[in-house]
Amino acid sequence: MERAAKLFVIRVLLLHVLAFVLLLVLTGVGVRNAYRRAQEQAIDQAGLRQQLVAQQTARGIENYFHGVLDNIRLLTRSEMRDIGPILPNRQTRGERPEKSGADGPGANVRNRLEDRGSPAQRIVGSSILKAVWKQIDARASHLIALRIDDSSLLDSEQRPGASPSSAILPALVGVIRAGGDEGISDRISIDGFAFSFAWVRFSSTEPMYVAAVVPLDDLSKQFIDPLNDSKQKVGAALYDGKTVVVRALDKTMVGVNLEKDSVTPGFRKLVGVQRARPMGGVERIENVEFARGQMIERGIVAIEPVRLTDKKVWFVSVGSTMADAGGLVNEIFAGTLFWAPILLITFTGVMVSTAVTLIRSRSRLERFRHQLLTNEIAQARQIQLSWLPKARFKGRGLDVFAMNEPASHVSGDFYNYFPLRDGREAVVIGDVTGHGLAAAFLMATTQMLIRATLTRTGDPVATLNEVNHELCGQAFSGQFVTLLLVVIDQEEGSLEVINAGHPPPIIVDDGRPELLRTRPQLVLGVEGDTHYYVQHFPLPDTQCTMLLYTDGIIECRNSAGDRYSMEQLCVELNGASELPEELMTRVMEIVDRFRGKEPLTDDATALAMRITSVETPRSASFIGATV
């Protein structure tokens, strides 16, 4: 019995050990295969990313050169192609070329062209050449007009401090003679200045050309240098049609001919194939050694052709080491083979039971949080409504009715009206960018600042200057406030209006709506040193009705996606009542009819006020409930 028990224990232990070993082996094999697949995927993804970067860089370089060529081609429009027949005869063999300066290269050519008033005058020594130079001076160091039959310099423009055009002229003549009527040259270096020529022939009968000298340092700083990161072992290179390196992470590589100077035959073959048959692609390379001792580690290289012209193709390459591409995978899988079996055995049962518990607990928590958030938002809306004055106000010569409808639960719009110490009445309406809680907080801050400051100063200009300065000193994540402030002076019979980027008010007079031509100024909360100014408008002798509103009224959308407009609102308010409550009802009916069942995309607020001339004061009263 005891012996059977021992055998049972041994058998169970052996079975568990065998099961554990089997699980460990299977887990190890699975992890190993997963590691290899992840490594390959990481390398492939790195290659795709590099290829995308190479493609974007190639397109940028193409556009860079094409922009230069396109501007030069402006000189070859159809109205200029007739300059050939009226150009002076070419210099006969044996004649001496014209001198420089006032009698410089092409001076007689220019004089004769200018005397004839020919279209060539527009090019040689003309404003057109200067206009083209203004378009390309950020990309080129020189703009040269020349003849190649006598190597004469007709005219030129160049950057301050650049080498004289005459120093570059011999190289340019040789390139054009070998390159045809239009083209882009490979890398050229003169006294340490690396550049490329872009040229266009602008006469069909005479060997006259316009060429731009494009510094390759400027090009590389814009497109290649930002991609090079020695710490991350990521490098980008640009090489011309002869596979000569124009720019690379390793500065000593500049000028190396990849096809000729590469010791590794496989890499020479790769570069040669790319040059003979330009196409993009991603290649994995082994250690590459160059004749000057430079080394490229085992890595990934994305090569993309830069098609400058039909005959001229350069190349961009973006590369990284495979160790860098798969580094994250190595870190993730470093201890997996040792810990995976133990963690699987230990936590499988625990995770199954705890997962069910966590899901149930999380569901209860989410329901509780949703209910709590709903209650808090409802309370926030009630607090916000308490910040706004009553929807209906009647005072001395002033009858106001207002409404505020949020796009979500709380609103970023606000309105207010209150008396000043000297008997004037202030009416303000504002709109904070966006909607929701963030806009509501800024709305509350702005409204309190406006009322407190204007009550203290009594000056609309000083008030907005001070409020704007305060808002700019706070961190509101780029939000700003549009605001319309109206101060009614019954004694003087005038309106003082400041419009900080807000829609203009609408005056309804005898059923005819008309925009009050206010001059919009900068919104609040953008520039702290902004100084606002006030506009004065006379009050009518008897009465007038004014409608203030936010852009949620005039920018709502219908089911077709069409946006309402201020002009439509003015048209549809024809014949509207001048009584504030009836006018407000008319406005909301118009908006609701236009948008149908579509929800508001922005908070909608409007305020209608009727101003009546008064002779004797009477006490103010508040009527109605908050909207």
Side-chain angles (χ1 to χ4, degrees):
M1 194 70 185
E2 184 176 346
R3 184 171 178 273
K6 289 182 179 180
L7 291 174
F8 176 80
V9 171
I10 293 172
R11 187 166 57 248
V12 170
L13 290 175
L14 287 175
L15 289 173
H16 281 79
V17 169
L18 290 174
F20 175 79
V21 172
L22 180 61
L23 180 62
L24 185 61
V25 171
L26 293 175
T27 302
V29 172
V31 169
R32 183 169 176 268
N33 292 335
Y35 170 79
R36 288 185 174 179
R37 288 194 298 269
Q39 189 82 355
E40 288 295 319
Q41 290 177 358
I43 293 173
D44 291 341
Q45 289 295 324
L48 291 175
R49 288 195 300 270
Q50 291 174 194
Q51 186 176 21
L52 179 60
V53 171
Q55 290 173 349
Q56 293 174 338
T57 305
R59 301 296 85 77
I61 295 174
E62 289 174 358
N63 293 335
Y64 190 95
F65 275 102
H66 292 170
V68 175
L69 277 179
D70 289 343
N71 279 284
I72 299 177
R73 289 191 188 107
L74 293 174
L75 304 175
T76 64
R77 288 182 174 175
S78 59
E79 65 265 26
M80 299 179 187
R81 294 189 183 276
D82 61 343
I83 65 175
I86 62 174
L87 286 172
N89 293 330
R90 293 176 53 181
Q91 174 184 324
T92 59
R93 184 169 301 182
E95 288 184 301
R96 299 184 62 184
E98 290 141 342
K99 298 179 182 179
S100 59
D103 300 321
N108 291 336
V109 174
R110 285 196 297 271
N111 293 336
R112 281 177 284 176
L113 292 175
E114 290 169 356
D115 290 341
R116 299 185 180 205
S118 70
Q121 180 183 348
R122 305 177 192 171
I123 299 175
V124 180
S126 70
S127 60
I128 292 183
L129 190 70
K130 297 180 183 298
V132 171
W133 170 246
K134 290 181 180 180
Q135 297 297 320
I136 67 171
D137 60 356
R139 302 184 182 186
S141 62
H142 300 73
L143 184 63
I144 301 171
L146 74 157
R147 294 180 64 104
I148 66 167
D149 55 346
D150 56 6
S151 302
S152 61
L153 176 66
L154 303 180
D155 201 0
S156 68
E157 298 285 346
Q158 64 186 47
R159 291 180 184 173
S163 300
S165 301
S166 58
I168 301 174
L169 188 61
L172 175 57
V173 171
V175 168
I176 293 178
R177 286 175 177 172
D181 290 346
E182 179 176 312
I184 296 173
S185 73
D186 288 319
R187 176 183 181 271
I188 301 173
S189 180
I190 298 178
D191 297 329
F193 174 49
F195 58 91
S196 177
F197 289 123
W199 72 90
V200 174
R201 181 171 182 169
F202 69 85
S203 172
S204 60
T205 59
E206 292 291 324
M208 300 177 67
Y209 293 79
V210 173
V213 178
V214 181
L216 295 181
D217 277 348
D218 294 351
L219 173 73
S220 301
K221 288 176 183 178
Q222 182 172 345
F223 294 101
I224 303 301
D225 292 354
L227 304 179
N228 287 323
D229 189 343
S230 57
K231 294 182 180 179
Q232 299 295 328
K233 298 182 179 180
V234 176
L238 173 65
Y239 47 97
D240 64 20
K242 297 179 181 179
T243 68
V244 175
V245 176
V246 175
R247 198 76 162 194
L249 176 61
D250 186 355
K251 304 301 182 184
T252 61
M253 291 283 291
V254 176
V256 171
N257 189 309
L258 297 180
E259 189 175 2
K260 295 180 179 179
D261 296 341
S262 174
V263 174
T264 307
F267 194 74
R268 285 203 306 270
K269 181 179 179 181
L270 170 64
V271 174
V273 169
Q274 287 291 339
R275 189 163 71 89
R277 188 178 56 185
M279 56 185 178
V282 179
E283 298 289 340
R284 298 187 186 185
I285 60 172
E286 299 298 331
N287 294 337
V288 176
E289 181 182 357
F290 293 94
R292 299 183 184 180
Q294 292 90 347
M295 292 289 298
I296 296 181
E297 299 177 13
R298 181 173 179 267
I300 311 164
V301 177
I303 301 176
E304 184 67 17
V306 182
R307 305 184 189 279
L308 302 181
T309 64
D310 293 338
K311 299 179 180 180
K312 181 63 61 178
V313 179
W314 289 14
F315 295 91
V316 169
S317 67
V318 179
S320 64
T321 63
M322 289 189 184
D324 182 64
L328 180 60
V329 177
N330 293 334
E331 293 178 7
I332 295 174
F333 283 86
T336 303
L337 289 176
F338 177 78
W339 291 106
I342 299 176
L343 293 176
L344 285 174
I345 294 172
T346 304
F347 290 105
T348 298
V350 176
M351 291 179 65
V352 170
S353 60
T354 54
V356 175
T357 304
L358 287 174
I359 292 173
R360 292 177 178 176
S361 300
R362 184 60 178 269
S363 298
R364 290 194 297 268
L365 178 61
E366 289 298 328
R367 287 195 296 269
F368 175 75
R369 290 176 60 185
H370 182 268
Q371 185 61 41
L372 181 63
L373 181 61
T374 301
N375 294 339
E376 289 180 351
I377 291 176
Q379 292 175 1
R381 177 58 177 166
Q382 291 301 318
I383 294 172
Q384 184 182 43
L385 290 175
S386 67
W387 293 334
L388 299 175
K390 297 290 185 179
R392 184 67 183 274
F393 166 77
K394 277 192 175 182
R396 180 172 175 264
L398 185 63
D399 187 2
V400 179
F401 190 86
M403 59 76 59
N404 171 256
E405 185 174 346
S408 55
H409 298 282
V410 289
S411 172
D413 292 355
F414 64 91
Y415 63 86
N416 207 340
Y417 31 82
F418 49 90
L420 301 181
R421 295 176 180 176
D422 55 5
R424 294 178 298 166
E425 298 283 347
V427 180
V428 62
I429 186 169
D431 182 5
V432 177
T433 52
H435 50 83
L437 289 175
F441 289 141
L442 181 54
M443 161 263 190
T445 302
T446 306
Q447 180 174 251
M448 288 187 292
L449 284 173
I450 290 289
R451 178 157 189 165
T453 308
L454 185 57
T455 302
R456 171 170 50 84
T457 64
D459 183 357
V461 172
T463 297
L464 258 66
N465 289 338
E466 183 175 335
V467 171
N468 178 60
H469 182 75
E470 289 293 332
L471 293 179
C472 290
Q474 306 297 323
F476 290 110
S477 302
Q479 289 182 295
F480 56 85
V481 182
T482 69
L483 184 135
L484 187 67
L485 175 61
V486 180
V487 176
I488 306 165
D489 191 340
Q490 294 278 11
E491 300 296 333
E492 296 293 334
S494 68
L495 291 177
E496 295 177 277
V497 180
I498 300 182
N499 185 345
H502 201 80
I506 297 175
I507 303 296
V508 180
D509 184 13
D510 196 20
R512 295 188 304 273
E514 182 180 356
L515 290 176
L516 185 65
R517 299 300 177 182
T518 60
R519 292 189 292 272
Q521 303 174 56
L522 187 64
V523 297
L524 302 177
V526 175
E527 293 184 6
D529 57 353
T530 301
H531 294 283
Y532 295 90
Y533 57 86
V534 67
Q535 292 180 260
H536 295 271
F537 297 91
L539 281 174
D541 294 335
T542 55
Q543 63 184 19
C544 71
T545 299
M546 181 181 296
L547 175 66
L548 313 181
Y549 51 93
T550 63
D551 57 9
I553 296 290
I554 59 174
E555 294 182 0
C556 61
R557 295 182 181 272
N558 59 17
S559 57
D562 300 325
R563 178 179 290 182
Y564 199 55
S565 67
M566 186 188 309
E567 291 74 14
Q568 288 176 269
L569 180 61
C570 288
V571 170
E572 296 193 46
L573 282 179
N574 273 316
S577 171
E578 296 182 26
L579 297 176
E581 187 169 359
E582 295 180 6
L583 177 60
M584 188 62 61
T585 302
R586 176 74 173 272
V587 170
M588 294 313 300
E589 287 176 352
I590 292 172
V591 172
D592 291 341
R593 184 172 62 252
F594 175 80
R595 65 187 181 93
K597 297 182 179 180
E598 289 297 307
L600 287 172
T601 56
D602 196 3
D603 304 323
T605 300
L607 181 148
M609 61 177 175
R610 190 179 191 189
I611 306 170
T612 307
S613 61
V614 295
E615 297 180 358
T616 57
R618 62 175 182 269
S619 60
S621 64
F622 287 85
I623 305 173
T626 301
V627 176

